[in-house]
Amino acid sequence: MTEFKRERTEELKAMEITRSSLDTAQGPADWFTGVVLIDTVAAPVPPSRVASAWVHFTPGARTVWHTHPLGQTIFVIEGVGRCQREGGPLEEIRPGDRVHFAAGENHWHGAAPSRLMTHIAIQEADDSGSPVTWGRPVTDAEYGAAAS
């Protein structure tokens, strides 16, 4: 067997397909305001600590304020959303937008008042296994501020 074929065969052995067997879960009320549905995209497989989820926000739904010890990236798939970092302006987000929140940056994200929004969330757990620290709910006044 040539070296190329051997390397290619080894690459193919490393591929793994996981058939979806997890049901869509409703986001917990202490993490979200409104109805939010979550589908797992990727769970950490050691040594990786990266996880990903497909998160569906109904109109007006949003996260509570929260931080990620190693940061988070969200990629908007559909709809219109809002996000904000603590002390920063309220931002409107749309399909194709990528938002990166720095490690420890207090922030929230969710759907616009009259539109759904779906994003893929990607974050990494810290050494203790925690990917997020949840905070207080986003007030209606914070959520309703004019988007830039």
Side-chain angles (χ1 to χ4, degrees):
M1 180 182 294
T2 68
E3 191 62 31
F4 174 77
K5 286 183 181 177
R6 184 181 344 267
E7 288 175 9
R8 182 72 178 138
T9 301
E10 289 172 5
E11 286 176 24
L12 293 176
K13 288 180 183 176
M15 185 175 88
E16 180 180 334
I17 297 174
T18 303
R19 303 291 178 206
S20 182
S21 62
L22 299 174
D23 291 338
T24 298
Q26 185 160 341
D30 54 336
W31 297 358
F32 300 99
T33 297
V35 177
V36 176
L37 303 173
I38 304 169
D39 289 300
T40 299
V41 172
V45 176
S48 175
R49 300 182 300 186
V50 175
S52 181
W54 189 282
V55 188
H56 316 266
F57 294 84
T58 58
R62 56 200 181 261
T63 68
V64 299
W65 287 97
H66 62 286
T67 62
H68 298 275
L70 298 173
Q72 180 187 48
T73 297
I74 61 173
F75 181 78
V76 181
I77 301 298
E78 65 180 340
V80 178
R82 293 179 169 187
C83 65
Q84 184 178 28
R85 68 181 184 92
E86 189 171 38
L90 181 69
E91 300 284 350
E92 183 176 276
I93 52 179
R94 294 182 171 272
D97 289 349
R98 288 178 307 280
V99 182
H100 176 73
F101 301 102
E105 183 174 52
N106 200 28
H107 68 281
W108 66 270
H109 37 96
S114 60
R115 298 287 302 271
L116 62 81
M117 189 271 291
T118 301
H119 69 54
I120 293 176
I122 306 162
Q123 58 277 324
E124 183 177 1
D126 62 13
D127 290 337
S128 74
S130 174
V132 62
T133 299
W134 297 105
R136 67 172 178 81
V138 174
T139 66
D140 289 340
E142 290 168 325
Y143 176 77
S148 58

